[in-house]
């Protein structure tokens, strides 16, 4: 029997970075039924300023993922549309 790949994503628009990271991580963990992901991709707007330097480490703590790949992104696609202004993040 072959394992079925699992995938989850979440995004947040606005708010403090730590709260946005926690909210997105909670949604991903719930979608994965508590399974720890092997890898996570974090896209975060530069509107969070210098705080983005700690975002990857914080998301890794929250998800328990072995690997985090991150990037800043000026535009963010979100379930409600595209966000190009202000703070936002997405995790896959």
């Amino acid at each position: 029997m072959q394992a079925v790949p699992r995938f989850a994503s979440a995004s947040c628009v606005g708010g403090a970075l730590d709260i946005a990271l926690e909210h997105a991580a909670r949604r991903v963990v719930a979608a994965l039924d508590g399974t720890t992901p092997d890898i996570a991709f974090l896209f975060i707007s530069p509107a969070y300023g210098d705080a983005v330097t700690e975002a990857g480490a914080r998301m890794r703590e929250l998800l328990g993922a072995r690997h985090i790949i991150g990037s800043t992104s000026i535009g963010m696609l979100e379930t409600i549309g595209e966000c190009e202004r202000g703070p936002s993040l997405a995790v896959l």
Side-chain angles (χ1 to χ4, degrees):
M1 183 177 211
Q2 219 174 11
V4 177
R6 304 277 319 253
F7 173 84
S9 66
S11 57
C12 290
V13 176
L17 178 58
D18 201 46
I19 293 169
L21 289 167
E22 290 176 14
H23 179 72
R26 232 184 344 247
R27 289 177 49 206
V28 166
V29 168
L32 294 174
D33 295 324
T35 302
T36 301
D38 292 322
I39 189 167
F41 300 89
L42 177 62
F43 302 93
I44 187 166
S45 75
Y48 284 114
D50 291 340
V52 301
T53 60
E54 303 297 322
R58 181 68 179 131
M59 184 57 77
R60 185 175 184 184
E61 289 174 11
L62 292 166
L63 291 177
R66 292 191 318 207
H67 306 283
I68 296 280
I69 296 174
S71 175
T72 55
S73 176
I74 293 175
M76 198 78 56
L77 293 178
E78 214 269 334
T79 55
I80 60 169
E82 187 173 349
C83 178
E84 293 181 353
R85 297 174 193 224
S88 61
L89 65 86
V91 62
L92 310 170

